[in-house]
Amino acid sequence: MDNRTKLHIIGDGSILKTLKKRYENENSVIFHGAKTHEEIGCIIKECGFYVSCSPREGMSLSLLEAMSADLIPIVTDIASQNYIKSNINISLLDVDSDNANEIFTNNLKLTLIEKNLHHNNIKNHVRQNEGTSWEDFWKAIL
C-alpha cells in the first residue's frame, strides 16, 4: 500500500481484538468500532471501495449502502452477489480468496476513467434497483 491508502474497519465483530492486536502499529489501518449510520456516512466519504470477504453473505444491506454511497465493491463471488459481476462488470473475490491479491491490486490501479465507469455502472444499478440512496433504500425496507 502507498502512503495514501488506508483501510477503515467499521464494526465491533468477533475478530476485532485479533485485528487490533495484529495491526496496532499500522498507520494505514484505522479502527472505528461500532458506528451509527450518520457516522458511517461521514467515514464513507473518505473511501473509494467497500470490502467484504464473507463466504456466505445473504443480501448484504451494508453492500447496498456502500454501493449507494458510490463505493466500488470488492466482495466474494457468491450467489447473492453475482449481479455485481454480471450487471456492473466488476470482478469478484474467489470464495477461498485465491485471487485476492490480483483483485485488490487491479482495483488500486484503476485509472480515473475506469473508476468513473464503475461509479456510473453502480449508480445506474442502484437507481434501477434500490432507489437513489442508501437512505431511500432503508426507508423503503422500514
Side-chain angles (χ1 to χ4, degrees), residues 9-105:
I9 298 177
I10 301 172
D12 58 358
S14 60
I15 63 169
L16 180 61
K17 288 180 183 177
T18 303
L19 291 173
K20 278 187 170 182
K21 184 176 180 179
R22 182 172 181 182
Y23 297 106
E24 65 188 343
N25 296 319
E26 290 285 336
N27 293 332
S28 60
V29 180
I30 303 165
F31 294 94
H32 295 280
K35 296 293 178 191
T36 66
H37 287 291
E38 288 178 355
E39 292 169 323
I40 292 171
C42 291
I43 296 166
I44 282 176
K45 291 177 184 175
E46 298 178 34
C47 301
F49 302 95
Y50 166 83
V51 179
S52 175
C53 301
S54 175
R56 54 188 163 291
E57 186 75 49
M59 185 59 161
S60 171
L61 292 178
S62 61
L63 171 59
L64 297 175
E65 288 175 354
M67 288 173 44
S68 295
D70 213 17
L71 299 183
I72 296 172
I74 300 175
V75 296
T76 315
D77 191 357
I78 55 176
S80 63
Q81 297 173 159
N82 281 338
Y83 68 92
I84 293 169
K85 182 172 45 180
S86 59
N87 297 349
I88 305 173
N89 198 28
I90 294 177
S91 298
L92 302 177
L93 294 166
D94 293 337
V95 174
D96 58 10
S97 298
D98 280 347
N99 68 340
N101 192 42
E102 174 189 350
I103 297 290
F104 286 115
T105 301

XYZ file of all heavy atoms in Angstrom, residues 9-105:
745
model
N -11.799 0.018 9.153
C -12.548 -1.137 9.639
C -13.632 -0.616 10.568
O -13.345 -0.009 11.601
C -11.628 -2.150 10.345
C -10.589 -2.678 9.343
C -12.453 -3.288 10.954
C -9.587 -3.634 9.925
N -14.879 -0.862 10.164
C -16.034 -0.389 10.921
C -16.736 -1.594 11.524
O -17.005 -2.574 10.843
C -17.006 0.393 10.021
C -16.289 1.589 9.395
C -18.231 0.841 10.812
C -17.090 2.312 8.340
N -17.042 -1.526 12.806
C -17.773 -2.605 13.470
C -17.020 -3.110 14.684
O -15.870 -2.754 14.931
N -17.707 -3.934 15.436
C -17.109 -4.474 16.664
C -17.320 -5.981 16.737
O -17.591 -6.540 17.776
C -17.704 -3.782 17.889
C -19.212 -3.908 17.977
O -19.831 -4.497 17.062
O -19.782 -3.412 18.956
N -17.134 -6.638 15.592
C -17.355 -8.074 15.495
C -16.376 -8.904 16.296
O -15.480 -8.391 16.980
N -16.518 -10.202 16.158
C -15.788 -11.158 16.992
C -14.276 -11.162 16.759
O -13.527 -11.594 17.633
C -16.340 -12.568 16.771
O -16.192 -12.940 15.410
N -13.798 -10.682 15.619
C -12.356 -10.706 15.367
C -11.694 -9.335 15.561
O -10.507 -9.175 15.271
C -12.034 -11.254 13.959
C -12.600 -10.354 12.871
C -12.505 -12.678 13.817
C -12.080 -10.701 11.476
N -12.429 -8.371 16.083
C -11.880 -7.022 16.251
C -10.614 -7.018 17.106
O -9.607 -6.414 16.730
C -12.926 -6.083 16.858
C -12.465 -4.641 17.073
C -12.077 -3.990 15.750
C -13.553 -3.838 17.768
N -10.636 -7.707 18.243
C -9.460 -7.731 19.130
C -8.246 -8.327 18.420
O -7.132 -7.814 18.533
C -9.758 -8.503 20.415
C -10.679 -7.779 21.354
C -10.934 -8.591 22.612
C -11.918 -7.869 23.504
N -12.249 -8.639 24.697
N -8.468 -9.394 17.678
C -7.379 -10.033 16.944
C -6.801 -9.086 15.899
O -5.579 -8.955 15.766
C -7.881 -11.322 16.258
O -8.429 -12.186 17.245
C -6.771 -12.027 15.509
N -7.674 -8.409 15.159
C -7.212 -7.469 14.140
C -6.457 -6.292 14.755
O -5.412 -5.886 14.244
C -8.393 -6.951 13.314
C -9.064 -7.957 12.389
C -10.315 -7.356 11.762
C -8.101 -8.444 11.318
N -6.996 -5.758 15.845
C -6.324 -4.631 16.501
C -4.924 -5.020 16.972
O -3.972 -4.258 16.820
C -7.149 -4.123 17.682
C -8.246 -3.182 17.288
C -8.902 -2.584 18.513
C -9.827 -1.463 18.138
N -10.441 -0.833 19.311
N -4.812 -6.209 17.537
C -3.511 -6.670 18.020
C -2.541 -6.848 16.851
O -1.380 -6.437 16.919
C -3.671 -7.976 18.788
C -2.381 -8.474 19.410
C -2.614 -9.711 20.247
C -1.296 -10.173 20.855
N -1.460 -11.359 21.690
N -3.033 -7.426 15.761
C -2.177 -7.696 14.607
C -1.729 -6.416 13.904
O -0.605 -6.335 13.404
C -2.906 -8.598 13.623
C -2.070 -8.946 12.430
C -2.718 -9.989 11.579
N -1.874 -10.307 10.447
C -2.202 -11.148 9.510
N -3.351 -11.784 9.580
N -1.390 -11.371 8.515
N -2.601 -5.407 13.858
C -2.301 -4.198 13.086
C -2.147 -2.948 13.950
O -2.240 -1.836 13.446
C -3.403 -3.969 12.038
C -3.461 -5.086 11.032
C -4.489 -6.032 11.075
C -2.476 -5.224 10.061
C -4.535 -7.072 10.151
C -2.508 -6.264 9.142
C -3.548 -7.177 9.202
O -3.579 -8.209 8.296
N -1.869 -3.120 15.228
C -1.796 -1.974 16.142
C -0.736 -0.950 15.755
O -0.865 0.221 16.079
C -1.586 -2.442 17.584
C -0.263 -3.149 17.836
C -0.188 -3.758 19.223
O -0.992 -3.376 20.080
O 0.671 -4.627 19.434
N 0.309 -1.344 15.067
C 1.377 -0.416 14.684
C 1.282 0.036 13.227
O 2.203 0.667 12.718
C 2.743 -1.053 14.940
C 2.966 -1.306 16.422
O 2.615 -0.484 17.257
N 3.512 -2.467 16.740
N 0.188 -0.289 12.573
C -0.008 0.086 11.171
C -0.776 1.401 11.094
O -1.935 1.471 11.480
C -0.801 -0.998 10.427
C -0.050 -2.273 10.214
C 0.991 -2.145 9.113
O 0.852 -1.280 8.230
O 1.957 -2.928 9.159
N -0.149 2.432 10.578
C -0.829 3.715 10.411
C -1.863 3.684 9.298
O -2.735 4.555 9.232
C 0.194 4.825 10.125
C 1.080 5.093 11.316
O 0.691 4.888 12.458
N 2.297 5.543 11.048
N -1.767 2.693 8.420
C -2.687 2.615 7.294
C -3.990 1.879 7.633
O -4.886 1.815 6.806
C -2.004 1.935 6.107
O -1.597 0.631 6.463
N -4.100 1.330 8.852
C -5.318 0.639 9.282
C -5.976 1.461 10.377
O -5.368 1.760 11.405
C -5.017 -0.789 9.790
C -6.291 -1.493 10.229
C -4.304 -1.604 8.709
N -7.235 1.837 10.140
C -7.976 2.673 11.084
C -9.178 1.888 11.599
O -10.033 1.455 10.820
C -8.445 3.974 10.408
C -7.228 4.727 9.847
C -9.228 4.837 11.373
C -7.580 5.819 8.877
N -9.239 1.715 12.907
C -10.356 1.003 13.531
C -11.361 2.023 14.052
O -11.014 2.916 14.819
C -9.855 0.125 14.682
C -8.981 -1.002 14.225
C -7.599 -0.874 14.201
C -9.538 -2.196 13.796
C -6.778 -1.909 13.764
C -8.731 -3.239 13.356
C -7.355 -3.094 13.342
N -12.608 1.866 13.644
C -13.659 2.802 14.050
C -14.606 2.227 15.098
O -15.303 2.984 15.763
C -14.477 3.238 12.830
C -13.686 4.017 11.832
N -13.410 5.351 11.982
C -13.095 3.632 10.676
C -12.691 5.776 10.953
N -12.486 4.754 10.146
N -14.671 0.917 15.219
C -15.637 0.317 16.133
C -17.047 0.454 15.584
O -17.258 0.782 14.428
N -18.038 0.203 16.434
C -19.440 0.311 16.027
C -19.791 1.778 15.819
O -19.393 2.638 16.606
C -20.341 -0.311 17.086
N -20.521 2.071 14.764
C -20.884 3.448 14.419
C -22.343 3.519 14.012
O -22.925 2.549 13.543
C -20.018 3.968 13.254
C -18.546 4.071 13.568
C -18.290 5.134 14.602
C -16.831 5.238 14.979
N -16.601 6.054 16.131
N -22.921 4.702 14.172
C -24.291 4.943 13.696
C -24.256 5.112 12.184
O -23.191 5.301 11.585
C -24.875 6.224 14.324
O -24.126 7.347 13.827
C -24.830 6.179 15.845
N -25.436 5.092 11.550
C -25.495 5.292 10.099
C -24.933 6.659 9.708
O -24.258 6.786 8.685
C -26.927 5.134 9.586
C -27.377 3.710 9.583
N -26.864 2.770 8.734
C -28.281 3.069 10.349
C -27.430 1.610 8.962
N -28.290 1.758 9.943
N -25.209 7.672 10.516
C -24.675 9.008 10.225
C -23.156 9.013 10.286
O -22.486 9.599 9.428
C -25.240 10.038 11.196
C -26.692 10.370 10.951
C -27.243 11.360 11.969
O -26.524 11.727 12.926
O -28.400 11.775 11.809
N -22.599 8.370 11.292
C -21.142 8.310 11.426
C -20.520 7.523 10.273
O -19.480 7.919 9.729
C -20.758 7.687 12.777
C -21.109 8.558 13.958
C -20.978 7.833 15.291
O -21.306 6.624 15.357
O -20.541 8.483 16.249
N -21.163 6.427 9.890
C -20.663 5.633 8.762
C -20.700 6.480 7.489
O -19.771 6.433 6.684
C -21.473 4.332 8.598
C -21.198 3.396 9.782
C -21.144 3.641 7.272
C -22.101 2.184 9.843
N -21.750 7.261 7.324
C -21.849 8.137 6.154
C -20.674 9.094 6.047
O -20.164 9.349 4.951
N -20.204 9.610 7.167
C -19.039 10.505 7.173
C -17.756 9.744 6.819
O -16.915 10.254 6.083
C -18.890 11.183 8.533
S -20.197 12.367 8.886
N -17.610 8.535 7.348
C -16.420 7.727 7.068
C -16.389 7.329 5.591
O -15.338 7.384 4.939
C -16.379 6.479 7.975
C -16.234 6.902 9.441
C -15.246 5.535 7.577
C -16.515 5.790 10.437
N -17.535 6.949 5.059
C -17.630 6.501 3.674
C -17.133 7.572 2.708
O -16.545 7.266 1.671
C -19.079 6.075 3.338
C -19.356 4.686 3.898
C -19.345 6.107 1.845
C -20.776 4.208 3.712
N -17.336 8.821 3.046
C -16.903 9.912 2.166
C -15.392 9.918 1.954
O -14.907 10.483 0.983
C -17.369 11.255 2.724
C -18.862 11.425 2.646
C -19.301 12.726 3.279
C -20.826 12.808 3.262
N -21.305 13.986 3.963
N -14.652 9.277 2.846
C -13.197 9.200 2.730
C -12.740 7.961 1.960
O -11.544 7.779 1.740
C -12.563 9.152 4.124
C -12.821 10.356 4.986
C -12.196 10.207 6.362
O -11.117 9.593 6.460
O -12.800 10.694 7.326
N -13.678 7.118 1.558
C -13.331 5.812 0.989
C -13.652 5.731 -0.499
O -14.496 6.472 -1.002
C -14.099 4.718 1.729
S -13.746 4.674 3.496
N -13.002 4.787 -1.162
C -13.268 4.534 -2.566
C -13.808 3.139 -2.825
O -14.390 2.878 -3.864
N -13.615 2.250 -1.848
C -14.003 0.852 -2.021
C -14.733 0.350 -0.781
O -14.542 0.853 0.320
C -12.766 -0.031 -2.245
C -11.943 0.375 -3.432
C -10.843 1.207 -3.284
C -12.274 -0.067 -4.699
C -10.088 1.597 -4.373
C -11.520 0.312 -5.796
C -10.427 1.147 -5.634
N -15.547 -0.678 -0.990
C -16.183 -1.425 0.101
C -15.678 -2.852 -0.031
O -15.743 -3.443 -1.114
C -17.706 -1.393 -0.048
C -18.422 -2.392 0.827
C -18.700 -2.098 2.151
C -18.800 -3.639 0.328
C -19.355 -3.027 2.965
C -19.448 -4.567 1.139
C -19.716 -4.250 2.449
O -20.360 -5.167 3.244
N -15.144 -3.421 1.044
C -14.586 -4.771 1.013
C -15.336 -5.669 1.991
O -15.531 -5.316 3.153
C -13.081 -4.766 1.386
C -12.515 -6.186 1.363
C -12.294 -3.841 0.462
N -15.763 -6.831 1.493
C -16.372 -7.853 2.336
C -15.979 -9.213 1.774
O -16.203 -9.493 0.599
C -17.894 -7.724 2.355
O -18.464 -8.794 3.087
N -15.386 -10.027 2.619
C -14.893 -11.346 2.183
C -15.719 -12.489 2.755
O -15.227 -13.598 2.911
C -13.422 -11.502 2.580
S -12.374 -10.243 1.855
N -16.971 -12.230 3.047
C -17.829 -13.255 3.625
C -18.088 -14.381 2.622
O -18.466 -14.123 1.487
C -19.167 -12.639 4.044
O -20.041 -13.652 4.486
N -17.921 -15.631 3.061
C -18.171 -16.756 2.154
C -19.655 -17.124 2.050
O -20.032 -17.945 1.233
C -17.381 -17.896 2.787
C -17.379 -17.574 4.242
C -17.341 -16.067 4.327
N -20.513 -16.528 2.852
C -21.923 -16.913 2.820
C -22.860 -15.769 3.205
O -23.817 -15.957 3.954
C -22.164 -18.130 3.698
C -21.692 -17.991 5.130
C -21.808 -19.331 5.866
N -21.062 -19.425 7.073
C -19.752 -19.478 7.211
N -18.996 -19.386 6.170
N -19.171 -19.603 8.370
N -22.590 -14.615 2.688
C -23.428 -13.443 2.959
C -24.756 -13.592 2.224
O -24.792 -14.039 1.087
C -22.700 -12.186 2.474
C -23.394 -10.900 2.813
C -23.255 -10.527 4.273
O -22.138 -10.544 4.797
O -24.285 -10.230 4.896
N -25.826 -13.194 2.871
C -27.112 -13.125 2.192
C -27.176 -11.821 1.430
O -26.168 -11.316 0.966
N -28.333 -11.249 1.308
C -28.460 -9.952 0.657
C -27.923 -8.905 1.628
O -28.585 -8.515 2.575
C -29.919 -9.672 0.305
C -30.104 -8.423 -0.472
S -29.163 -8.525 -1.990
C -29.947 -7.282 -2.938
N -26.701 -8.471 1.417
C -25.990 -7.613 2.349
C -26.479 -6.169 2.281
O -26.307 -5.489 1.270
C -24.490 -7.664 2.040
O -23.809 -6.703 2.778
N -27.075 -5.698 3.365
C -27.511 -4.305 3.417
C -26.325 -3.355 3.436
O -26.376 -2.277 2.841
C -28.407 -4.067 4.633
C -29.762 -4.762 4.584
C -30.554 -4.491 5.852
C -30.547 -4.327 3.369
N -25.229 -3.757 4.085
C -24.055 -2.885 4.101
C -23.477 -2.735 2.692
O -22.995 -1.661 2.321
C -22.994 -3.393 5.079
O -22.534 -4.671 4.720
N -23.549 -3.789 1.874
C -23.099 -3.699 0.484
C -23.973 -2.723 -0.293
O -23.475 -1.876 -1.029
C -23.112 -5.078 -0.174
C -22.879 -5.115 -1.685
C -21.530 -4.508 -2.045
C -22.994 -6.540 -2.190
N -25.283 -2.821 -0.118
C -26.190 -1.905 -0.806
C -25.967 -0.462 -0.360
O -25.991 0.462 -1.173
C -27.643 -2.325 -0.572
C -28.027 -3.691 -1.132
C -29.450 -4.045 -0.739
C -27.839 -3.734 -2.628
N -25.727 -0.266 0.927
C -25.417 1.074 1.433
C -24.143 1.607 0.787
O -24.090 2.761 0.355
C -25.230 1.049 2.952
C -26.492 0.868 3.736
C -26.235 0.737 5.231
O -25.068 0.679 5.653
O -27.225 0.707 5.967
N -23.129 0.766 0.743
C -21.848 1.180 0.178
C -21.996 1.533 -1.300
O -21.466 2.547 -1.760
C -20.812 0.078 0.373
N -22.712 0.711 -2.043
C -22.913 0.994 -3.460
C -23.732 2.263 -3.646
O -23.463 3.052 -4.546
C -23.559 -0.201 -4.154
C -22.592 -1.360 -4.304
S -23.301 -2.895 -4.945
C -24.332 -2.376 -6.265
N -24.712 2.483 -2.783
C -25.498 3.715 -2.848
C -24.650 4.937 -2.541
O -24.953 6.036 -2.989
C -26.676 3.651 -1.870
O -27.580 2.655 -2.249
N -23.588 4.729 -1.776
C -22.665 5.822 -1.448
C -21.543 5.923 -2.479
O -20.567 6.630 -2.276
C -22.086 5.623 -0.054
N -21.672 5.189 -3.590
C -20.745 5.287 -4.709
C -19.409 4.600 -4.478
O -18.420 4.923 -5.118
C -20.523 6.754 -5.086
C -20.289 6.957 -6.571
O -20.609 6.040 -7.349
O -19.779 8.022 -6.940
N -19.355 3.642 -3.533
C -18.119 2.883 -3.326
C -18.066 1.707 -4.296
O -19.090 1.102 -4.603
C -18.039 2.357 -1.894
C -18.022 3.400 -0.780
C -17.878 2.725 0.568
C -16.919 4.420 -0.985
N -16.877 1.399 -4.771
C -16.688 0.243 -5.647
C -16.607 -0.999 -4.762
O -15.766 -1.066 -3.863
C -15.410 0.404 -6.488
C -15.556 1.607 -7.434
C -15.110 -0.881 -7.265
C -14.295 1.972 -8.169
N -17.490 -1.982 -4.984
C -17.483 -3.178 -4.132
C -16.386 -4.173 -4.496
O -16.159 -4.460 -5.662
C -18.862 -3.790 -4.382
C -19.228 -3.341 -5.757
C -18.580 -1.994 -5.953
N -15.696 -4.642 -3.475
C -14.762 -5.758 -3.604
C -15.320 -6.830 -2.673
O -15.138 -6.761 -1.463
C -13.329 -5.356 -3.206
C -12.831 -4.209 -4.097
C -12.396 -6.562 -3.276
C -11.475 -3.669 -3.699
N -16.053 -7.771 -3.269
C -16.784 -8.759 -2.472
C -16.595 -10.158 -3.035
O -16.114 -10.343 -4.146
C -18.289 -8.404 -2.392
C -18.509 -7.093 -1.658
C -18.917 -8.324 -3.781
N -17.024 -11.121 -2.263
C -16.870 -12.533 -2.593
C -17.837 -12.963 -3.689
O -18.979 -12.521 -3.735
C -17.123 -13.378 -1.328
O -16.446 -12.785 -0.231
C -16.624 -14.789 -1.502
N -17.384 -13.857 -4.539
C -18.180 -14.396 -5.639
C -19.108 -15.482 -5.104
O -18.804 -16.673 -5.153
C -17.259 -14.956 -6.726
C -18.001 -15.298 -8.004
O -19.240 -15.160 -8.035
O -17.334 -15.700 -8.965
N -20.233 -15.043 -4.556
C -21.265 -15.954 -4.059
C -22.577 -15.586 -4.738
O -22.711 -14.494 -5.308
C -21.395 -15.892 -2.511
C -21.631 -14.472 -2.032
C -20.141 -16.481 -1.859
C -21.854 -14.337 -0.544
N -23.537 -16.491 -4.696
C -24.779 -16.337 -5.459
C -25.467 -14.992 -5.243
O -25.900 -14.350 -6.196
C -25.725 -17.483 -5.122
N -25.549 -14.535 -4.004
C -26.284 -13.300 -3.728
C -25.580 -12.048 -4.241
O -26.152 -10.971 -4.245
C -26.539 -13.160 -2.223
O -25.308 -13.055 -1.527
N -24.321 -12.187 -4.693
C -23.572 -11.020 -5.150
C -23.125 -11.140 -6.608
O -22.403 -10.290 -7.110
C -22.358 -10.785 -4.230
C -22.807 -10.483 -2.828
C -21.735 -10.399 -1.776
O -21.979 -9.803 -0.764
N -20.571 -10.963 -1.962
N -23.620 -12.177 -7.306
C -23.242 -12.373 -8.706
C -23.676 -11.221 -9.603
O -23.078 -10.984 -10.645
C -23.808 -13.678 -9.246
C -22.977 -14.865 -8.809
O -21.811 -14.726 -8.473
N -23.586 -16.026 -8.795
N -24.725 -10.485 -9.209
C -25.197 -9.369 -10.017
C -24.123 -8.295 -10.178
O -24.109 -7.554 -11.164
C -26.469 -8.750 -9.429
C -26.275 -8.043 -8.104
C -25.997 -6.684 -8.062
C -26.368 -8.738 -6.907
C -25.812 -6.033 -6.851
C -26.185 -8.091 -5.696
C -25.909 -6.747 -5.675
O -25.727 -6.097 -4.478
N -23.179 -8.224 -9.245
C -22.098 -7.242 -9.340
C -21.212 -7.566 -10.533
O -20.802 -6.675 -11.281
C -21.292 -7.188 -8.027
C -22.179 -6.631 -6.920
C -20.014 -6.365 -8.179
C -21.598 -6.756 -5.540
N -20.953 -8.844 -10.722
C -20.132 -9.282 -11.855
C -20.912 -9.151 -13.161
O -20.409 -8.613 -14.136
C -19.678 -10.719 -11.624
C -18.787 -11.279 -12.704
C -18.188 -12.643 -12.356
C -19.168 -13.604 -11.778
N -18.616 -14.907 -11.452
N -22.156 -9.612 -13.163
C -22.918 -9.652 -14.412
C -23.536 -8.311 -14.799
O -23.556 -7.966 -15.973
C -24.006 -10.726 -14.328
O -24.871 -10.465 -13.257
N -24.030 -7.533 -13.844
C -24.721 -6.276 -14.161
C -23.816 -5.053 -14.103
O -24.072 -4.067 -14.785
C -25.896 -6.038 -13.209
C -26.952 -7.097 -13.338
O -26.942 -7.907 -14.252
N -27.877 -7.119 -12.407
N -22.796 -5.092 -13.273
C -21.947 -3.913 -13.065
C -20.558 -4.133 -13.658
O -19.790 -3.214 -13.820
C -21.873 -3.554 -11.567
C -23.293 -3.370 -11.011
C -21.075 -2.283 -11.343
C -23.337 -3.170 -9.515
N -20.248 -5.385 -14.008
C -18.983 -5.743 -14.645
C -17.768 -5.476 -13.749
O -16.780 -4.894 -14.174
C -18.835 -5.022 -15.995
C -17.792 -5.668 -16.866
O -17.531 -6.868 -16.761
N -17.168 -4.882 -17.715
N -17.868 -5.899 -12.505
C -16.762 -5.782 -11.554
C -16.357 -7.190 -11.129
O -17.205 -8.014 -10.784
C -17.172 -4.937 -10.330
C -17.431 -3.483 -10.763
C -16.115 -5.002 -9.238
C -17.915 -2.569 -9.660
N -15.057 -7.472 -11.165
C -14.552 -8.791 -10.768
C -14.771 -9.033 -9.286
O -14.684 -8.107 -8.474
C -13.057 -8.895 -11.075
O -12.836 -8.760 -12.452
N -15.036 -10.283 -8.939
C -15.297 -10.663 -7.552
C -14.170 -11.540 -7.007
O -13.445 -12.185 -7.755
C -16.631 -11.411 -7.456
C -17.857 -10.654 -7.968
C -19.093 -11.536 -7.874
C -18.067 -9.362 -7.207
N -14.069 -11.555 -5.688
C -13.090 -12.396 -4.994
C -13.534 -13.848 -5.019
O -14.715 -14.143 -4.835
C -12.960 -11.963 -3.533
C -12.383 -10.591 -3.257
C -12.638 -10.196 -1.806
C -10.903 -10.577 -3.556
N -12.586 -14.760 -5.237
C -12.893 -16.177 -5.076
C -13.261 -16.428 -3.619
O -12.747 -15.752 -2.716
C -11.673 -17.042 -5.426
C -11.305 -16.974 -6.898
O -12.174 -16.641 -7.724
O -10.127 -17.257 -7.207
N -14.139 -17.371 -3.371
C -14.550 -17.689 -2.003
C -13.346 -18.051 -1.139
O -13.277 -17.686 0.032
C -15.609 -18.819 -1.987
C -15.926 -19.260 -0.577
C -16.876 -18.358 -2.693
N -12.363 -18.740 -1.721
C -11.163 -19.095 -0.954
C -10.111 -17.986 -0.984
O -9.010 -18.156 -0.472
C -10.570 -20.409 -1.460
C -10.203 -20.358 -2.937
O -10.218 -19.258 -3.543
O -9.891 -21.420 -3.494
N -10.450 -16.858 -1.595
C -9.599 -15.661 -1.673
C -8.294 -15.877 -2.429
O -7.353 -15.096 -2.277
C -9.300 -15.108 -0.274
O -10.493 -14.723 0.358
N -8.228 -16.914 -3.281
C -7.013 -17.167 -4.061
C -6.640 -15.992 -4.964
O -5.471 -15.767 -5.242
C -7.154 -18.421 -4.912
C -6.930 -19.694 -4.122
O -6.431 -19.613 -2.978
O -7.253 -20.780 -4.640
N -7.637 -15.243 -5.428
C -7.363 -14.134 -6.334
C -7.389 -12.771 -5.633
O -7.434 -11.733 -6.285
C -8.349 -14.144 -7.502
C -9.775 -13.829 -7.068
O -10.128 -13.963 -5.895
N -10.596 -13.429 -8.012
N -7.340 -12.763 -4.306
C -7.454 -11.506 -3.549
C -6.379 -10.504 -3.928
O -6.673 -9.325 -4.160
C -7.429 -11.787 -2.048
N -5.135 -10.939 -3.996
C -4.052 -10.018 -4.325
C -4.276 -9.385 -5.696
O -4.109 -8.174 -5.870
C -2.704 -10.737 -4.264
C -1.548 -9.776 -4.310
O -1.561 -8.734 -3.669
N -0.532 -10.127 -5.091
N -4.673 -10.195 -6.653
C -4.945 -9.701 -8.012
C -6.090 -8.687 -8.016
O -5.988 -7.618 -8.617
C -5.280 -10.878 -8.925
C -5.724 -10.482 -10.315
C -6.243 -11.671 -11.103
O -6.090 -12.829 -10.668
O -6.815 -11.428 -12.180
N -7.184 -9.010 -7.335
C -8.357 -8.129 -7.305
C -8.017 -6.807 -6.625
O -8.332 -5.727 -7.137
C -9.551 -8.814 -6.599
C -9.997 -10.056 -7.372
C -10.702 -7.841 -6.371
C -10.661 -9.795 -8.692
N -7.368 -6.865 -5.464
C -7.010 -5.635 -4.752
C -6.036 -4.792 -5.577
O -6.205 -3.584 -5.712
C -6.421 -5.937 -3.376
C -7.448 -6.379 -2.380
C -7.408 -7.659 -1.848
C -8.461 -5.535 -1.973
C -8.359 -8.079 -0.935
C -9.420 -5.939 -1.055
C -9.368 -7.219 -0.532
N -5.024 -5.424 -6.142
C -4.036 -4.700 -6.949
C -4.697 -4.044 -8.152
O -4.461 -2.862 -8.437
C -2.911 -5.653 -7.408
O -2.279 -6.207 -6.250
C -1.886 -4.931 -8.254
